[in-house]
Amino acid sequence: MGMAMKIQYLGQAGFSFHDASRMLVLDPYLSDSVDRLPGFPAGFWTRAYPPPVTPAGLRDANLVLCTHDHLDHADPETLLGIAAAAPGCEFGGPRATVELLHRIGIPPERTVMLNAGRSQAWRGITIEPIAAAHERYE
């Protein structure tokens, strides 16, 4: 019988996946930073409901992956909160996301760049990055 894995929906496009020995977090957006973007009418980007966990609540995170560098997938407030709560956690994503991670203060030794078509092994999991277009393909 295989090891049990818990999957938790974090809101927006975010999920956490954890078993007895590791926690991977995907696209966490746990603040209201998008709601506070200037240049939009009040309430334009309002969250549908509060996030189910705070960044500090992800203190067991070992790896955070951000699929792209949009604010609701790579939120600096959330990422810095997780980085502080989980000092051993690594962060990864495509080039633009890793550059964002470095700009906000997450050091290079805590980041991993994921490239489409190149598998990445991590704690017994194989990560298979694929290219995808959101608003435009880069």
Side-chain angles (χ1 to χ4, degrees):
M1 184 149 238
M3 192 180 309
M5 177 163 286
K6 180 180 177 183
I7 301 171
Q8 181 180 10
Y9 178 57
L10 300 176
Q12 287 294 107
F15 288 89
S16 68
F17 306 86
H18 52 102
D19 59 23
S21 64
R22 62 200 166 193
M23 178 189 285
L24 183 145
V25 178
L26 179 65
D27 283 341
Y29 171 57
L30 305 174
S31 77
D32 64 350
S33 62
V34 173
D35 301 359
R36 292 182 269 118
L37 284 173
F40 294 96
F44 188 82
W45 292 116
T46 304
R47 293 185 73 102
Y49 53 88
V53 65
T54 65
L58 296 176
R59 67 185 165 278
D60 294 330
N62 306 109
L63 179 63
V64 173
L65 298 178
C66 300
T67 57
H68 60 290
D69 62 339
H70 286 174
L71 194 54
D72 59 338
H73 295 261
D75 173 38
E77 289 180 38
T78 297
L79 298 173
L80 289 171
I82 295 170
C89 184
E90 296 176 89
F91 297 81
R95 177 187 41 79
T97 301
V98 171
E99 289 171 357
L100 168 77
L101 292 167
H102 295 165
R103 279 194 311 274
I104 67 171
I106 296 177
E109 60 271 15
R110 290 183 72 180
T111 63
V112 59
M113 190 174 315
L114 301 175
N115 293 304
R118 280 199 207 146
S119 297
Q120 178 77 34
W122 177 78
R123 292 190 178 198
I125 296 172
T126 301
I127 300 167
E128 297 279 350
I130 58 169
H134 188 303
E135 292 174 353
R136 68 176 190 260
Y137 181 75
E138 295 179 36

